[in-house]
Structure formats: C-alpha cells, structure tokens
Amino acid sequence: MGVLKIPKYDLKKFINVFNRRFGLFIIFVFVLFFDSIYFVENILDSQIPINILMIFGFIVMYWRANPRTKELMIYAVILGFGGEYLFSRGLNMYTYRLENVPLYVPLGHAALYGRIFMFSKAPIVRKYHKKIERLFGICIGIFATVYLIFFTDVFGFVMTICMFLLLWKRPKDKLFFFSMYILVATLEIGGTAFGCWKWPSTAFDVFTFLPSNNPPSGISLFYFLLDIGCFFMYTQRHKITWSRLKSIQRNHV
C-alpha cells in the first residue's frame, strides 16, 4: 500500500497533522453521548450545555484559523443553518431527537469544514496526497460496500457512487472530500447510535426504491453543496483577486 512507503519521519508528521485536525471531532463523537436518548432519560437533558461547548470550541478554532479559513467558516455557518432547516425540517431527510436543529450542528458543520480544509492544505498532506487519496478511496469503497451488503443501504451506496463520479471530474478535490467522507461517516455513526438524530428507512422517507441505513454511508455527498456554496460566496467577495488567479492559471497552461 502506498502510504506504507512514506518515509517514517514524514509518516509521523502526517499522523500528527491527522490527529490535530481530525482528533477533536473524533472526541466530539463521544460528547454526543450527552445528547443521547439514554443520557436524557436517565440523567438530564444537556443539549444546551453541548451547544455552549460547541460555541466555545468554534470560537477557539476560528481564532486559530488563517484569514481565508475564517471567512469560509463564517459562510459555512450561514449555509449550515439554511441547509439543516431545509433538509431536516423541510424535506424530512433526517430528524433530530427534539425535532429541532440543535445549535451545535450548523456550528459543527463550519468547524468540520474548516478543519478538513486546513488538513487538506497541510504541506505534508499535499506532499503525499495521491497516496493518501488512494488509501482513503479504498477505505470508503469498502465501507460503502459493507453497508450495502449487510444493511441494505442502497441510498448511501448510490450517494457514494455519485461522489466518486463527481470527483472523477474534479480530481483536485479528492483529498478534501475523501477526508470529509470519513469524518462525516464517523460522526453520523456516533450520532445515530446515541439517538441524537435518526434517518428513515428509505431516502427522504419517500423513495421506497432507495432503502437507507441509519445512517446512510454516503451522506457526505451533500457537503458538495456546502463546499460549492462557500466557494461561490468567497469568489464573489474577492472578485478581483479571483480574476487575477484565474488569469495566472490560464497563462501557465
């Protein structure tokens, strides 16, 4: 496997970057337990403290981010709120425990977007991006196939295939979205296991020909919308800079 051929010193640097950028969200999976059905029924409803914790975590991540990432995180918060109310409350794509949209969710989208953006731009990650993309792609393919075979997750498998097809046309985005897929899948497994939210047995609880697991495997496909939205808002605010960059790129072709 390509990753195993990375020199030991560089591999340690990559693992360090991975832990710093991904580790916080893996820990947050366990924080979701405090918004779980078990915790609420046996101890207390702690969704408000979790919201406060996420606000604090978001502020810390925002403070440490570079200017471009900060701006993208703000756009992601705005789009995150709109997307959550559209897909959850409007289209019934999934349902939160209290049938609301917890504050920690859209803030979490923005924080996740920012962390993965920084991870994908890290020098050591860029240096070995093809090897990392290959490893992540294999893991994603196995994960989606297992979900399809053992959990009849047709909806998730179809979304995963769509993601691969979209990235076939946008190869430069592979690292970002493969990383996004893996982290989103981890959060979804934890959140649904604790009962913080749930997915219906078919896509949108409407399309019976698309059976779905709780959660479906390929839900990160919808982060394409978040990425496109953030990218569009960023380029519109920096039209002159973006025009110059495109001009430079054309001159080097």
Side-chain angles (χ1 to χ4, degrees):
M1 189 175 292
V3 171
L4 298 179
K5 296 180 181 179
I6 297 177
K8 187 176 181 180
Y9 177 74
D10 282 351
L11 186 59
K12 286 183 178 179
K13 289 176 64 177
F14 166 72
I15 292 173
N16 182 49
V17 171
F18 182 89
N19 288 337
R20 283 191 290 112
R21 300 307 183 195
F22 279 43
L24 182 63
F25 281 93
I26 293 174
I27 292 173
F28 186 71
V29 172
F30 297 97
V31 175
L32 288 173
F33 170 72
F34 298 105
D35 192 33
S36 67
I37 293 174
Y38 176 85
F39 193 85
V40 170
E41 291 180 347
N42 292 277
I43 303 177
L44 57 86
D45 190 340
S46 59
Q47 190 171 103
I48 292 177
I50 294 177
N51 287 337
I52 295 172
L53 178 64
M54 176 53 75
I55 291 173
F56 176 76
F58 177 85
I59 292 173
V60 172
M61 281 183 261
Y62 181 84
W63 181 262
R64 293 179 176 177
N66 59 51
R68 183 183 179 188
T69 304
K70 286 180 178 179
E71 187 172 341
L72 289 170
M73 287 176 69
I74 294 299
Y75 298 151
V77 169
I78 296 170
L79 294 173
F81 271 103
E84 284 295 330
Y85 277 97
L86 172 63
F87 291 116
S88 178
R89 306 301 297 140
L91 300 177
N92 296 315
M93 190 177 184
Y94 47 88
T95 306
Y96 289 101
R97 178 176 61 82
L98 297 178
E99 297 186 2
N100 63 344
V101 176
L103 182 61
Y104 68 76
V105 174
L107 290 178
H109 287 323
L112 182 147
Y113 183 88
R115 298 301 270 191
I116 292 179
F117 181 81
M118 289 187 286
F119 169 78
S120 63
K121 298 299 181 182
I124 191 64
V125 175
R126 296 304 309 166
K127 182 177 180 180
Y128 297 103
H129 72 95
K130 289 187 178 180
K131 290 182 173 62
I132 298 168
E133 289 165 7
R134 191 176 301 114
L135 173 63
F136 284 5
I138 291 171
C139 292
I140 289 168
I142 293 173
F143 174 73
T145 302
V146 167
Y147 261 47
L148 174 65
I149 295 173
F150 293 98
F151 302 106
T152 320
D153 183 28
V154 179
F155 183 41
F157 190 79
V158 169
M159 287 192 290
T160 302
I161 294 298
C162 289
M163 182 199 69
F164 278 117
L165 291 175
L166 286 170
L167 290 175
W168 184 44
K169 295 291 186 180
R170 297 175 60 180
K172 291 182 179 180
D173 294 330
K174 277 186 179 181
L175 181 60
F176 180 87
F177 282 105
F178 282 177
S179 303
M180 181 73 75
Y181 187 110
I182 291 171
L183 199 51
V184 168
T186 302
L187 289 169
E188 283 287 342
I189 291 171
T192 52
F194 293 140
C196 302
W197 60 84
K198 63 181 179 180
W199 294 77
S201 58
T202 60
F204 295 92
D205 204 20
V206 172
F207 303 104
T208 56
F209 61 90
L210 288 175
S212 175
N213 186 49
N214 179 36
S217 60
I219 187 54
S220 66
L221 174 68
F222 285 87
Y223 276 78
F224 270 97
L225 301 178
L226 180 65
D227 180 56
I228 291 170
C230 291
F231 179 75
F232 176 78
M233 293 171 75
Y234 184 87
T235 56
Q236 291 303 299
R237 189 171 182 275
H238 301 276
K239 287 184 178 181
I240 296 176
T241 302
W242 183 246
S243 297
R244 289 175 180 172
L245 178 60
K246 294 299 289 182
S247 178
I248 292 171
Q249 290 177 339
R250 285 194 296 269
N251 291 335
H252 281 79
V253 173

